[in-house]
Amino acid sequence: MKMHAAVSAVLLALLPARAAAAKVTPTQQVITMMNEMKTKGETMMDEGTKVYATYAEWADDETKRLGFEIQDGEKKIEELTAYISKAESDVEKLGREVEELNAEIDTLEGEKAKATETRKAEHEEYVKVSTDYSESVDALQRAIQVVKAQNYDRPQAEM
């Protein structure tokens, strides 16, 4: 808006000057041109100041935003570092527990193998005794049948 006013003022100043071209001296022309240059320079300086103010505000906002992001990032790094440390200690603890459980499993498997061998040996012994008892019972049953078939009195032996 200032620029339009300045240009209008310059044009208005030049109109009478052209009409009275004979009255305008070279010095007045130089002064008029310098005033125009001054007006343009001030306009450009105002625009530059506005651009710089906008840039400075943006830079300040970005600095604050990035500062907060850095703080948030540092907090996140601390949290993750703590989480990693805890996870590593948990891994060590659980690793020791796994080793203990593996040792216990090995012990129990050894005991199971011994118990299986013992049961197998006891079963073989049972089968022998059971067979012997079965044979004895069969022999007694046959003897009872023979004695029943010979159903008569016998004298008892003296001792």
Side-chain angles (χ1 to χ4, degrees):
M1 190 77 172
K2 281 183 170 182
M3 188 171 168
H4 290 293
V7 172
S8 298
V10 171
L11 289 176
L12 288 175
L14 288 178
L15 286 177
R18 287 195 179 181
K23 292 183 185 178
V24 177
T25 63
T27 306
Q28 288 176 337
Q29 285 181 347
V30 169
I31 291 172
T32 304
M33 287 172 40
M34 288 186 76
N35 283 334
E36 290 173 3
M37 286 175 49
K38 179 182 173 190
T39 306
K40 285 182 184 178
E42 287 173 350
T43 304
M44 289 175 69
M45 183 151 181
D46 288 342
E47 289 176 11
T49 302
K50 289 178 186 176
V51 169
Y52 176 75
T54 303
Y55 170 75
E57 184 178 341
W58 174 81
D60 186 48
D61 291 346
E62 284 297 304
T63 300
K64 288 178 184 175
R65 184 182 64 82
L66 292 174
F68 288 132
E69 284 185 16
I70 289 171
Q71 288 176 349
D72 290 344
E74 289 173 349
K75 287 179 186 176
K76 188 70 173 178
I77 288 171
E78 289 175 10
E79 290 172 4
L80 292 174
T81 302
Y83 179 77
I84 289 169
S85 297
K86 184 183 179 310
E88 287 175 347
S89 69
D90 288 347
V91 165
E92 289 178 18
K93 177 185 170 192
L94 294 173
R96 286 190 300 272
E97 289 178 10
V98 166
E99 288 175 4
E100 291 171 4
L101 291 172
N102 283 337
E104 186 177 343
I105 287 171
D106 291 341
T107 302
L108 292 174
E109 285 179 350
E111 290 175 5
K112 178 183 171 186
K114 288 179 185 176
T116 302
E117 287 177 25
T118 303
R119 277 191 300 251
K120 197 177 204 182
E122 288 174 351
H123 179 68
E124 289 174 3
E125 182 66 27
Y126 166 77
V127 168
K128 286 180 187 177
V129 169
S130 177
T131 304
D132 185 42
Y133 286 166
S134 294
E135 290 173 355
S136 295
V137 168
D138 285 342
L140 285 174
Q141 285 176 345
R142 283 190 309 261
I144 289 172
Q145 285 177 356
V146 167
V147 169
K148 280 184 180 179
Q150 300 172 357
N151 196 6
Y152 57 89
D153 287 332
R154 291 190 178 83
Q156 193 171 6
E158 290 186 32
M159 285 203 166

